[in-house]
Amino acid sequence: MSRTMFRVLTAASVATALAFAANAQQVGFSPLDRTDQKKSKQDLNLKGHPTPSTMTPVDKLPLDKLSLPAGFKAEVWSHGHPGARTMVMGSKGTIFMGTRVLGRVYAITDRGGKREAKVLLQGLTQPNGLAFRDGSLYVFAIHQVFRFDNIEDKLDNPGEPVDLTKAFNLPDTVHHNWKYVAFGPDGKLYVQVGANCNVCEINNATHGQIRRYNADGTGMEIIARGVRNTVGFDWHPQTGELWFTDHGRDWAGNDGPEDELNVIAKGNEGAFFGFPYCHANGVPDPDIRIPNACAGVTLPAATTGPHAAGLGIKFYTGSMFPKEYQNVAFIARRGSWNREQKFGYDVITARTDGAKATLAPFMTGLLDEKANAFHGRPTYLFQMADGSLLVSDEQNGAIYRISYSTPGATKK
Amino acid sequence: MELKQVLQSWWRPLVLGLAAAVLLEGATFAQTMPIAERAKLCGACHGEDGNSRMPNIPSIAGQPEFFLVHQLILFREGVRKVPGMNELLNGLKDDDLIALAKHFTVLAPKSSEEKLDLALVKRGEALVEPMRCASCHLPGLEGQEQMPRLAKQRIDYLIHSLKQFRDNRRSGADTLMSAVVIGVSDDDIAALAHYAASR
């Protein structure tokens, strides 16, 4: 769709919203948003947790809280990079790390077994979307798209990027639009476009999607619709199918609708995943009601917990972990805010079987259920060449490395 | 009204530019400046006591410390851009910014001399309840953690910042605020601003 057409559509929807505001008694947060908080019967003072933009000293990192299955061990791999989220690796071994509000992209290099983190880019708007291909780093910051060629030769001075913003033509609405992006096995660049509200009627042509593009921003196709906010996806190593996490809506109760783990089965590209009418495992929306809300909706492979905020997902293909972890997905759950009793703040596994998945705990301990408090927030995962798994912790600006050796030999 | 807006938008950069020119002279040695002196430089725009007397420039007295630290980092990084202010923070360490935040958080907020429109205050009062402003900014709108104080803030700045959120122009912000005001009319924004400033 052309830029002008998008503008016209946006203008039209804003105009409708204004007319609505003038005529009707407003129920939701805003004229567009249809959230009826009172109906949720939740504590109406629930609010997002602050994310520090300052460094957490290394001795304050919650390493001793982390608990893993026997034989697994966690250590601090790097720290001192506030806002730690997405991780991708360059072909020369640099870990690039994206953030949200802090607007930084870090470059983390390994210098003789010690990690050095430097601020590579700053002043961007929520550069959560990173991808690497053929020497180039792709940076997605809401609707802005930049490509830094030969970046690993220019870590001290990345220079001017190629600006691909126009080519990708993404909406500039910010909410739920910090991007997750990744190259698929088909060489295409897959891009998230979230719903810019808690719950509202979205324009299916522009929001609530996963898209794929050629690397230069041409050839856009919408491969999933009705997706509220996916912030992580990965391809199954054997089937090649795309699995993605998706956050359930807020303010419809402490216990749901739960978050989702979805799969786009072969031949089901372009499928509708239900937002805003149908959530989780077939729960009709309480605020936007339509008849047969779940008809024609592709339901999730598994629900991943109420308000748990599943972000990064990575299918394990390394040789370090025991055999039973082969092709098992790890999912980082950042943890709830819209729930009276906190939930998540961990890493779980998802064993997939066709279009279904079974979940189990993996890395726990960051949630103190008794105190209803948390010590860290896992966001993304990265598998290293040696088969160890990196987990980023946004709250503490750190990366933990999880390794395995046969029990008896080492113990955590 | 329209003329006033044009004037404001026209002379805002001018004021900032003038203030910046005077201040930047000292900016290089500013990196080693004691905190009280540095805070004086801020006072040129934000008021010596942290209460701004300049159109569209926010009061920063009595803002939650977390909010101040976070926003100062965003300014230093160039995520939020204000000519004349970004430069003052160049090269400052997190600890310097924390010290500045501690300085301003304990100052007493005072209402500006702008005229409150009581009809708008009333309309705003009816809006904050369904829009749940208090759930994040607290019932007295005094703010907490990453959520700023709105009470006693300048009306023009509140309008300015609400429009920035609505129109996706406030960089670095927690996007929840954009979700709150998406699609809200200019009139309702004015009402919310007059109400918040009156608290």
Side-chain angles (χ1 to χ4, degrees):
Chain A
M1 187 188 321
S2 76
R3 183 89 202 152
T4 21
M5 193 169 158
F6 170 63
R7 285 244 176 75
V8 172
L9 276 174
T10 319
S13 58
V14 169
T16 331
L18 297 188
F20 175 78
N23 302 332
Q25 175 111 40
Q26 188 179 310
V27 183
F29 284 121
S30 75
L32 280 193
D33 199 303
R34 301 274 297 279
T35 311
D36 185 348
Q37 277 180 308
K38 286 216 175 103
K39 215 162 63 191
S40 76
K41 301 221 164 66
Q42 291 170 273
D43 172 358
L44 294 182
N45 292 323
L46 288 168
K47 56 180 174 50
H49 310 303
T51 307
S53 37
T54 46
M55 287 190 198
T56 305
V58 66
D59 57 324
K60 293 268 161 61
L61 294 177
L63 187 65
D64 59 339
K65 302 277 193 295
L66 300 181
S67 158
L68 292 157
F72 288 94
K73 181 186 125 189
E75 66 200 296
V76 176
W77 189 76
S78 87
H79 62 94
H81 33 69
R85 287 178 62 102
T86 36
M87 295 171 281
V88 297
M89 189 184 262
S91 44
K92 298 181 181 172
T94 313
I95 291 271
F96 296 100
M97 168 169 270
T99 64
R100 274 191 54 198
V101 283
L102 195 48
R104 291 177 180 171
V105 174
Y106 297 100
I108 306 172
T109 45
D110 199 321
R111 297 261 147 98
K114 274 198 85 175
R115 259 65 57 186
E116 213 177 272
K118 58 172 293 189
V119 179
L120 180 72
L121 309 170
Q122 68 175 52
L124 293 166
T125 303
Q126 312 223 12
N128 191 65
L130 299 184
F132 189 92
R133 169 86 18 138
D134 296 334
S136 301
L137 178 69
Y138 293 74
V139 179
F140 283 68
I142 310 287
H143 66 296
Q144 291 185 301
V145 187
F146 303 112
R147 194 187 72 217
F148 293 85
D149 295 330
N150 299 320
I151 184 70
E152 286 183 288
D153 299 332
K154 299 188 290 194
L155 293 181
D156 288 327
N157 182 14
E160 285 302 307
V162 179
D163 190 340
L164 297 171
T165 305
K166 277 219 178 81
F168 279 86
N169 192 24
L170 292 158
D172 63 0
T173 44
V174 291
H175 192 50
H176 291 159
N177 272 274
W178 46 95
K179 292 287 172 290
Y180 185 82
V181 304
F183 279 103
D186 53 2
K188 300 243 180 189
L189 193 45
Y190 286 68
V191 181
Q192 169 270 20
V193 185
N196 58 320
C197 58
N198 175 37
V199 68
C200 64
E201 297 274 4
I202 47 170
N203 178 349
N204 265 323
T206 56
H207 286 80
Q209 313 164 341
I210 301 175
R211 305 175 177 186
R212 73 177 164 215
Y213 293 82
N214 298 321
D216 63 0
T218 60
M220 190 272 271
E221 295 165 86
I222 300 170
I223 59 149
R225 296 168 207 268
V227 179
R228 182 174 176 273
N229 184 25
T230 177
V231 256
F233 36 78
D234 194 17
W235 288 264
H236 191 285
Q238 287 171 323
T239 67
E241 289 170 332
L242 181 72
W243 288 72
F244 64 93
T245 58
D246 188 16
H247 290 186
R249 60 158 294 181
D250 297 314
W251 300 116
N254 284 317
D255 291 326
E258 291 194 24
D259 288 356
E260 300 171 12
L261 173 61
N262 289 298
V263 56
I264 306 177
K266 280 264 148 63
N268 206 20
E269 288 85 0
F272 180 64
F273 287 86
F275 185 82
Y277 313 113
C278 174
H279 308 283
N281 228 337
V283 180
D285 192 83
D287 296 327
I288 301 185
R289 292 165 179 276
I290 58 163
N292 301 319
C294 293
V297 170
T298 302
L299 294 177
T303 54
T304 53
H307 306 285
L311 269 73
I313 170 169
K314 205 86 228 155
F315 282 98
Y316 187 77
T317 55
S319 54
M320 180 189 278
F321 292 3
K323 274 261 152 354
E324 69 249 36
Y325 286 94
Q326 266 314 298
N327 302 329
V328 166
F330 287 88
I331 299 174
R333 299 194 298 187
R334 186 168 175 260
S336 64
W337 66 268
N338 192 236
R339 191 172 199 274
E340 284 157 35
Q341 182 65 43
K342 293 187 174 63
F343 187 86
Y345 308 89
D346 59 5
V347 176
I348 58 171
T349 56
R351 279 159 215 279
T352 65
D353 178 11
K356 290 281 155 216
T358 324
L359 311 179
F362 180 70
M363 186 183 93
T364 56
L366 291 174
L367 172 62
D368 180 341
E369 277 176 46
K370 232 166 147 193
N372 200 19
F374 63 89
H375 303 291
R377 307 191 84 179
T379 49
Y380 286 94
L381 307 158
F382 185 82
Q383 184 190 308
M384 298 291 275
D386 68 356
S388 61
L389 190 71
L390 301 185
V391 182
S392 56
D393 173 358
E394 182 176 17
Q395 196 71 15
N396 294 300
I399 301 177
Y400 311 117
R401 173 180 180 265
I402 298 178
S403 56
Y404 179 83
S405 52
T406 317
T410 39
K411 202 164 173 288
K412 185 176 143 29
Chain B
M1 181 67 191
E2 244 171 56
L3 182 66
K4 195 177 141 212
Q5 274 169 355
V6 173
L7 270 175
Q8 278 194 357
S9 59
W10 180 81
W11 72 278
R12 186 170 121 101
L14 192 72
V15 171
L16 293 180
L18 282 175
V22 176
L23 293 169
L24 280 179
E25 211 135 318
T28 24
F29 90 100
Q31 271 40 288
T32 53
M33 192 180 272
I35 189 69
E37 262 179 69
R38 201 193 304 282
K40 275 210 183 106
L41 296 180
C42 316
C45 288
H46 291 286
E48 193 121 335
D49 61 353
N51 290 296
S52 158
R53 284 150 197 92
M54 294 226 255
N56 281 325
I57 297 189
S59 292
I60 54 176
Q63 283 288 5
E65 184 180 332
F66 189 106
F67 173 77
L68 289 172
V69 172
H70 179 59
Q71 299 297 330
L72 287 173
I73 288 177
L74 294 183
F75 284 113
R76 178 191 65 196
E77 305 276 318
V79 176
R80 278 186 83 178
K81 295 181 180 70
V82 182
M85 182 176 148
N86 292 91
E87 291 85 341
L88 276 180
L89 302 175
N90 252 346
L92 293 195
K93 300 267 178 299
D94 285 3
D95 284 347
D96 302 322
L97 302 183
I98 292 168
L100 278 170
K102 284 195 190 302
H103 174 88
F104 286 104
T105 191
V106 295
L107 299 182
K110 286 197 206 102
S111 298
S112 76
E113 269 143 30
E114 296 160 290
K115 199 170 156 5
L116 278 175
D117 179 329
L118 292 180
L120 282 178
V121 171
K122 224 168 149 212
R123 240 183 87 190
E125 185 166 18
L127 284 171
V128 293
E129 156 61 22
M131 294 181 78
R132 307 284 322 151
C133 311
S135 68
C136 292
H137 294 277
L138 291 186
L141 301 184
E142 64 269 39
Q144 57 177 333
E145 296 182 308
Q146 79 273 36
M147 267 80 69
R149 155 182 291 279
L150 309 176
K152 298 194 167 62
Q153 183 54 278
R154 289 191 63 90
I155 302 167
D156 49 17
Y157 178 73
L158 288 170
I159 293 174
H160 165 77
S161 56
L162 285 167
K163 286 186 182 167
Q164 282 191 318
F165 288 119
R166 182 191 63 191
D167 305 336
N168 303 307
R169 285 187 288 109
R170 169 103 165 230
S171 300
D174 186 320
T175 60
L176 277 172
M177 212 26 239
S178 291
V180 169
V181 289
I182 185 156
V184 175
S185 69
D186 284 0
D187 288 351
D188 284 350
I189 281 185
L192 288 167
H194 278 261
Y195 172 77
S198 76
R199 296 294 93 188

